[in-house]
Amino acid sequence: MIGINPPGDSMDDPGKVIVAVSFFATVAISINAIVRGSVAMRKHSRLGDQEAGPVADQRLARLEQAVDAIALEVERISEGQRFTTRLLSEQSRRASEAGSRRLSSNTPV
């Protein structure tokens, strides 16, 4: 019984043969296209990395300078904020001291 096809399931039918051959040909063509595409993409990315090297270095240098400038400005802003906070706290302390002196001098004995 091994190797004997059941009746009616024979591969002698030309329609079934055409479908099977078409299926395997489509799979082979698809795999070929995927492999060619991946090889082309890898080749293109290697060429792009080599060409973009000096340009990327220049851009990174400009970016580093910009970040340094921003850091300096943020430091200046924070120093100004600390100074303003100190002035306001000293002013509020003076106002509270002056208010307490007035109250003590205005209270009846």
Side-chain angles (χ1 to χ4, degrees), residues 20-38:
V21 170
S22 298
F23 172 75
F24 288 114
T26 303
V27 169
I29 290 171
S30 298
I31 291 172
N32 188 9
I34 291 170
V35 169
R36 284 179 184 251
S38 66

Side-chain angles (χ1 to χ4, degrees), residues 61-81:
R62 287 194 309 264
L63 183 63
E64 184 178 348
Q65 290 174 352
V67 168
D68 289 341
I70 291 170
L72 287 173
E73 291 299 320
V74 167
E75 182 62 29
R76 289 178 63 195
I77 291 169
S78 64
E79 286 176 12
Q81 184 68 33

Side-chain angles (χ1 to χ4, degrees), residues 42-64:
R42 286 183 185 164
K43 185 177 179 181
H44 179 68
S45 68
R46 277 187 263 149
L47 290 176
D49 291 343
Q50 293 171 355
E51 293 173 1
V55 174
D57 290 341
Q58 292 172 356
R59 290 180 73 186
L60 285 174
R62 287 194 309 264
L63 183 63
E64 184 178 348

